[in-house]
Amino acid sequence: MRVTIGQINTTNGDCDGNVARILSAIEKAKSDKSDLVVFPEVTIQGYTSFDWFLDPDVVRSALEPLDKIIDATEGITAIVGTVRPSDQPTGRRLYNSAALIRDRQLVGFADKTLLPEYDVFDDPRYFEPARERHLFQLGDTKLGIAVCEDFWNDKTFWRQRLYSNDPAQELIEMGANLLVSINASPFNKGKMRVRCNMVSHRAKTANIPIVFVNLIGANDGIIFDGASIISDAHGKIILQAPPFEEFVETVDLDCGVPDARCLPGDDIGTVRQALVLGIRDYAHKNRFDRAVFGLSGGIDSAVVAALACEALGPENVLAVTMPSPYSSRESIEDSIDLSRRLGMKIIEKPIINAFNTLRNELGLPDASTTNDRAIENAVENLQSRLRGNILMTISNAENRLLLSTGNKSELALGYCTLYGDTNGGLAVIGDVLKTEVYELAGAYNRESEIIPAAIITKRPSAELAPDQFDDQSLPPYDTLDPILELYFEQKSSPEEIIAAGHDATLVYDILNRVESPANEFKRRQLPPTLIISRNAIGIGRRRPITHRYRRDRKSSCVGAVT
């Protein structure tokens, strides 16, 4: 059997545009003389379209786009991800389904059984679980179709499972000799390797070929990397689609030729590709051709500059440097040097006069003459908010997407200014730890010095007060980031983090800062954040603002105040 992977980039709610991409891929499959073309999960409507799935008109018209696809399938079989209405009197109004279409006939649907509600997923809010499983006969082939999560519960692969049943294994036990899994599996570090191993293991264990097709593209902060996979019955990966790009190609299931491109997906270069796709898709799908951001002369805004220029082209990126009374001349010169190296436009809009005028109008003393920390914060934040106003005004006037440049380490501990440096339409590195920001800079400088060495080697500073440096307010990043990684990405407890070799007092201090109501209040108002890890700051991590939380050696109970 010849199978075509239809790894296409969809947009939420753009049924016409998504169907056009499906039809184009079907024609390519026909020209390849393919027998079967497979598309990702909810290809037609887009995943995830969140509460649009609850709208009555979306439910009512869910199957209408299938008509054009059915008409295009003469001489070929297609599997297309879609939603379909439920005919049951109770329960959710939609199923998350795979439509099987053969030679201009709708053969039937395979509905999703396991509905995830962790991380960015909330499927039980929208979908009714499948009531049964069945095979489809394609000539001599008994075809089993699993929709995303239904494939991800193999008890012989995962040490811990969320569900007691395994729909994919049930299909295998029913006699499937070809298993197709359609997916919208978001990117995070290391996940490509996991998928490769998972698909290969299942195929080898069941002794059947597996076609695993994944969505590509970014919708809001969720990035889908594609990297679709076909394994033969021996567990050999005979096709590995490239990540972060559309891919429509065909392979013979019995070719026996392994594909050497099975990607690890855990290196900094892969993170760079993900962020570039995230910027490009978020901008273009929201009708922005150009971007603007504040360039401080520091490492964070320098890396955002490089990512934005790669994603949108340097001619479409505007950097704004906004010196205050506390900005160093070196930072301004480093910003100009970076802009020259990247080929992007830079403008200077000093905030000194506006800052002095407002400070005097508000009766705020010079921060260096007071020991009142609240006054010092107000003076520092005033500078950041003036910059935010300038950037938002340019964004409005020139229809540019404003990119926020704060990193995950700072955002986790609330080291940011609400309505200041948190302003923006997209938080580019809000899920990137500070140490990873430096790694990204190193990746850009691998061939030549794109980011000036002076920016990389300088001591990090917000430059909002005389002689101010990050390590006066935060632990050193090489100490802080491993703790944050364990807490956020591994969901480790304080005790587990301490057992990993970290100082107990420091661990409790950091986690109490992470979970403070004031810092959650800030994070709740961040722009959409490009997600590159598990349990990222953003829609996948839900915490109350109003709460009492403290951890120390005496109590590890959430809600305990000591």
Side-chain angles (χ1 to χ4, degrees):
M1 178 181 286
R2 288 176 62 80
V3 176
T4 301
I5 281 181
Q7 179 177 294
I8 63 173
N9 190 337
T10 62
T11 300
N12 293 337
D14 183 15
C15 292
D16 291 341
N18 297 339
V19 167
R21 278 181 152 80
I22 292 168
L23 296 179
S24 176
I26 288 174
E27 291 308 308
K28 172 68 165 59
K30 286 181 179 180
S31 69
D32 288 348
K33 295 181 170 37
S34 179
D35 301 298
L36 174 66
V37 56
V38 183
F39 296 93
E41 182 180 12
V42 196
T43 323
I44 292 174
Q45 291 81 11
Y47 191 86
T48 173
S49 289
F50 295 114
D51 280 10
W52 274 350
F53 291 135
L54 300 177
D55 289 359
D57 58 330
V58 172
V59 175
R60 184 173 55 252
S61 62
L63 295 182
E64 291 177 7
L66 274 179
D67 292 339
K68 289 182 180 179
I69 300 170
I70 291 169
D71 288 343
T73 58
E74 184 174 359
I76 197 169
T77 300
I79 297 173
V80 182
T82 185
V83 297
R84 73 178 186 94
S86 168
D87 57 2
Q88 300 299 315
T90 60
R92 299 301 182 189
R93 305 315 307 150
L94 287 173
Y95 289 106
N96 182 343
S97 302
L100 179 66
I101 307 163
R102 182 175 58 209
D103 200 16
R104 301 183 68 184
Q105 296 291 323
L106 177 61
V107 178
F109 295 96
D111 301 321
K112 190 174 184 177
T113 302
L114 306 180
L115 302 179
E117 53 181 349
Y118 55 86
D119 199 20
V120 301
F121 304 109
D122 205 1
D123 276 20
R125 181 179 175 91
Y126 312 115
F127 304 123
E128 186 71 6
R131 297 177 181 272
E132 60 182 5
R133 268 158 293 289
H134 49 269
L135 302 180
F136 299 93
Q137 194 74 39
L138 296 180
D140 295 331
T141 300
K142 293 180 179 179
L143 172 65
I145 303 174
V147 180
C148 201
E149 195 84 349
D150 288 359
F151 186 85
W152 290 70
N153 203 41
D154 184 351
K155 66 181 179 182
T156 67
F157 183 81
W158 299 103
R159 281 186 290 182
Q160 288 186 318
R161 298 190 302 154
L162 289 176
Y163 318 95
S164 59
N165 58 323
D166 181 356
Q169 183 61 32
E170 292 175 31
L171 292 169
I172 292 167
E173 292 173 357
M174 291 168 64
N177 51 24
L178 171 62
L179 184 60
V180 170
S181 176
I182 67 170
N183 297 265
S185 172
F187 170 79
N188 61 56
K189 294 172 288 184
K191 201 170 187 180
M192 290 182 202
R193 183 189 298 276
V194 171
R195 292 197 205 105
C196 260
N197 293 341
M198 177 182 65
V199 171
S200 174
H201 174 84
R202 174 93 75 173
K204 185 176 181 179
T205 302
N207 194 33
I208 61 172
I210 292 177
V211 177
F212 181 101
V213 178
N214 192 33
L215 185 64
I216 184 268
N219 287 309
D220 296 344
I222 307 172
I223 302 167
F224 298 98
D225 54 280
S228 301
I229 303 160
I230 296 181
S231 173
D232 69 11
H234 305 291
K236 290 181 182 177
I237 305 299
I238 60 173
L239 190 148
Q240 167 76 68
F244 309 113
E245 62 183 72
E246 290 192 302
F247 180 85
V248 182
E249 295 295 341
T250 303
V251 67
D252 287 303
L253 291 183
D254 59 354
C255 69
V257 180
D259 191 332
R261 294 175 298 179
C262 208
L263 306 165
D266 55 4
D267 65 321
I268 201 66
T270 309
V271 171
R272 170 180 165 180
Q273 286 181 283
L275 295 172
V276 167
L277 176 64
I279 295 170
R280 182 184 298 130
D281 268 11
Y282 188 85
H284 292 164
K285 290 179 181 181
N286 288 290
R287 296 182 173 85
F288 286 102
D289 296 319
R290 302 182 297 170
V292 62
F293 67 98
L295 187 58
S296 68
I299 188 70
D300 295 327
S301 59
V303 166
V304 170
L307 292 165
C309 288
E310 186 176 356
L312 305 176
E315 70 279 5
N316 295 313
V317 178
L318 174 64
V320 186
T321 182
M322 296 164 284
S324 79
Y326 309 110
S327 299
S328 66
R329 189 66 224 172
E330 292 78 12
S331 290
I332 299 171
E333 291 171 354
D334 289 342
S335 296
I336 294 170
D337 186 16
L338 174 69
S339 300
R340 178 185 57 79
R341 293 168 186 262
L342 288 173
M344 68 181 176
K345 183 180 178 180
I346 184 172
I347 60 175
E348 185 173 325
K349 297 292 181 183
I351 64 167
I352 299 171
N353 291 338
F355 169 69
N356 287 330
T357 299
L358 279 171
R359 185 170 59 81
N360 291 333
E361 182 70 24
L362 295 167
L364 297 173
D366 189 308
S368 62
T369 65
T370 178
N371 292 320
D372 188 330
R373 188 53 193 153
I375 295 295
E376 293 173 2
N377 281 339
V379 172
E380 292 176 10
N381 291 339
L382 176 58
Q383 298 166 68
S384 183
R385 290 183 179 126
L386 282 169
R387 289 172 172 146
N389 269 322
I390 290 171
L391 293 170
M392 284 303 305
T393 301
I394 293 172
S395 172
N396 292 159
E398 300 184 14
N399 194 36
R400 291 180 181 268
L401 173 64
L402 175 54
L403 303 177
S404 176
T405 62
N407 65 68
K408 185 176 186 176
S409 306
E410 296 170 350
L411 298 175
L413 269 64
Y415 191 63
C416 54
T417 300
L418 196 58
Y419 320 125
D421 59 329
T422 59
N423 278 6
L426 182 68
V428 175
I429 56 171
D431 191 31
V432 181
L433 295 167
K434 186 76 168 191
T435 49
E436 293 174 320
V437 175
Y438 281 103
E439 290 180 43
L440 283 166
Y444 273 105
N445 283 3
R446 208 159 277 160
E447 301 295 329
S448 61
E449 191 176 317
I450 301 298
I451 297 176
I455 291 178
I456 298 174
T457 58
K458 72 171 60 175
R459 187 177 174 189
S461 170
E463 293 190 342
L464 296 174
D467 300 319
Q468 180 190 57
F469 297 99
D470 289 7
D471 55 19
Q472 297 165 344
S473 302
L474 303 174
Y477 289 113
D478 57 358
T479 301
L480 170 64
D481 285 357
I483 294 172
L484 293 178
E485 184 172 14
L486 286 169
Y487 189 60
F488 278 90
E489 299 182 29
Q490 306 302 323
K491 298 187 179 180
S492 300
S493 69
E495 294 75 20
E496 289 170 330
I497 298 172
I498 294 165
H502 299 282
D503 177 75
T505 300
L506 180 63
V507 168
Y508 288 123
D509 177 62
I510 288 172
L511 299 192
N512 285 328
R513 291 176 69 177
V514 169
E515 297 293 353
S516 77
N519 292 337
E520 187 58 42
F521 175 74
K522 289 182 181 182
R523 289 191 294 266
R524 185 71 65 88
Q525 299 181 70
L526 292 174
T529 301
L530 295 180
I531 297 172
I532 55 109
S533 72
R534 295 184 297 170
N535 198 32
I537 291 173
I539 63 171
R541 184 177 186 272
R542 304 170 192 180
R543 290 288 201 273
I545 294 173
T546 305
H547 69 278
R548 292 187 178 183
Y549 176 101
R550 185 170 180 82
R551 289 180 186 263
D552 64 15
R553 293 172 188 250
K554 297 177 183 178
S555 175
S556 61
C557 178
V558 173
V561 179
T562 58

